Amino acid sequence: MIRFNLNNKAVEVDVDPNMPLLWVLRDILNMTGTKFGCGMAQCGACTVHLDGQPIRSCVMPLSAIADKNISTIEGLSTDASHPVQQAWLEHNVPQCGYCQSGQIMSAVALLNEHPNPDDETIDNYMQGNICRCGTYPRIKAAIKTAAKNTRSAFDYSLAKDVGAQV
């Protein structure tokens, strides 16, 4: 039995500890947002976050994620309201869409590390995510928009309970 947190929820699975995380997500937990691409950690379609860092789930054995935090595309938001998802929609990034969940997960990790990335930083960070449709200019534009929108967003949650009795 291997335990880990998936999108902020505790999960237990009883499978071969050598099973790649991708297959646990897709076949055992029925979370199909993460895609199988090459199966060799070279295309990025299977990108998820392990404790906030992007990893390739197709080559990550389940045993390596015990007691860790995994985030998938399903964990970003339930209504596509994450700033990166909104920027993706604004720039009409997906063409066939197959690589998009991996692209978005890598973009989120990029913006967490580099809130205001320049072109070179985006190119270097995203180079492991391959898009067979060649939507790279739209991906780059969406990342810049998400960075701008994230910087200008104001967190109103602190004002939510002002005046409430505790």
Side-chain angles (χ1 to χ4, degrees), residues 36-68:
F36 173 79
C38 66
M40 299 182 293
Q42 296 187 3
C43 74
C46 66
T47 302
V48 298
H49 294 174
L50 169 64
D51 290 338
Q53 296 298 311
I55 63 163
R56 305 298 193 238
S57 63
C58 69
V59 295
M60 180 63 65
L62 185 62
S63 60
I65 64 147
D67 300 320
K68 307 275 185 188

Side-chain angles (χ1 to χ4, degrees), residues 112-130:
N112 286 338
E113 286 183 38
H114 306 280
N116 189 22
D118 58 19
D119 286 347
E120 183 179 354
T121 302
I122 294 171
D123 289 343
N124 287 335
Y125 204 94
M126 299 296 291
Q127 69 180 348
N129 287 82
I130 297 171

Side-chain angles (χ1 to χ4, degrees), residues 15-87:
V15 298
D16 181 348
N18 293 318
M19 178 183 272
L21 174 60
L22 175 63
W23 301 125
V24 172
L25 295 171
R26 292 184 59 83
D27 294 347
I28 306 299
L29 301 173
N30 297 315
M31 299 188 69
T32 57
T34 305
K35 305 299 183 199
F36 173 79
C38 66
M40 299 182 293
Q42 296 187 3
C43 74
C46 66
T47 302
V48 298
H49 294 174
L50 169 64
D51 290 338
Q53 296 298 311
I55 63 163
R56 305 298 193 238
S57 63
C58 69
V59 295
M60 180 63 65
L62 185 62
S63 60
I65 64 147
D67 300 320
K68 307 275 185 188
N69 297 305
I70 299 295
S71 299
T72 66
I73 190 76
E74 292 94 341
L76 287 184
S77 71
T78 58
D79 57 359
S81 61
H82 189 280
V84 173
Q85 292 170 313
Q86 288 296 301

Side-chain angles (χ1 to χ4, degrees), residues 5 7 16 36 104 145 159:
N5 289 316
N7 299 329
D16 181 348
F36 173 79
I104 289 171
T145 295

